[in-house]
């Protein structure tokens, strides 16, 4: 099996695979009739962040903003390139990192 075939086999389960940025791509999967979950894969097609988020942003400076929606409330935080949640999901809004900083909104 070629590595392209391995990659294609790994990503078949996703409903959508976004473009790669900094070596990672957002993926989306429908769960049930109405739920959609998102996460990230690396260039080998391996999942690096679990599919549990409702909104994900592109990686910027090794960090990606991720969001879980609870009722009408959005809870934003950040994951690193290992998929670890390194900044807790406590923010109402979160924006990409630029020059080591990211703008967030709390309350």
């Amino acid at each position: 099996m070629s590595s392209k075939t391995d990659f294609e086999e790994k990503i078949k389960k996703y409903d959508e695979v976004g473009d790669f940025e900094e070596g990672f791509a957002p993926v989306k999967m429908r769960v049930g009739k109405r739920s959609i979950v998102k996460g990230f894969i690396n260039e080998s097609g391996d999942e690096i962040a679990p599919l549990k988020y409702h909104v994900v942003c592109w990686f910027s400076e090794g960090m990606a903003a991720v969001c879980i929606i609870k009722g009408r409330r959005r809870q934003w935080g950040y994951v690193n390139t290992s998929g670890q949640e390194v900044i807790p999901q406590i923010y109402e809004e979160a924006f990409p990192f630029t020059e080591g900083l990211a703008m967030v909104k709390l309350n």
Side-chain angles (χ1 to χ4, degrees), residues 34-105:
R34 298 181 65 190
S35 292
I36 293 174
V37 290
K38 299 177 182 180
F40 290 98
I41 60 170
N42 63 19
E43 291 176 327
S44 298
D46 299 319
E47 229 171 76
I48 63 116
L51 275 72
K52 68 176 190 176
Y53 304 105
H54 298 109
V55 183
V56 297
C57 295
W58 304 105
F59 272 90
S60 174
E61 298 186 13
M63 303 281 272
V66 293
C67 177
I68 291 180
I69 301 171
K70 294 183 179 178
R72 297 186 64 167
R73 186 171 175 215
R74 293 175 181 255
Q75 295 177 296
W76 287 89
Y78 292 87
V79 297
N80 65 14
T81 57
S82 297
Q84 298 170 309
E85 292 179 358
V86 292
I87 298 177
Q89 293 172 291
I90 59 171
Y91 301 99
E92 291 177 33
E93 294 182 56
F95 298 90
F97 272 80
T98 304
E99 297 181 16
L101 301 172
M103 185 170 65
V104 294
K105 178 181 177 185

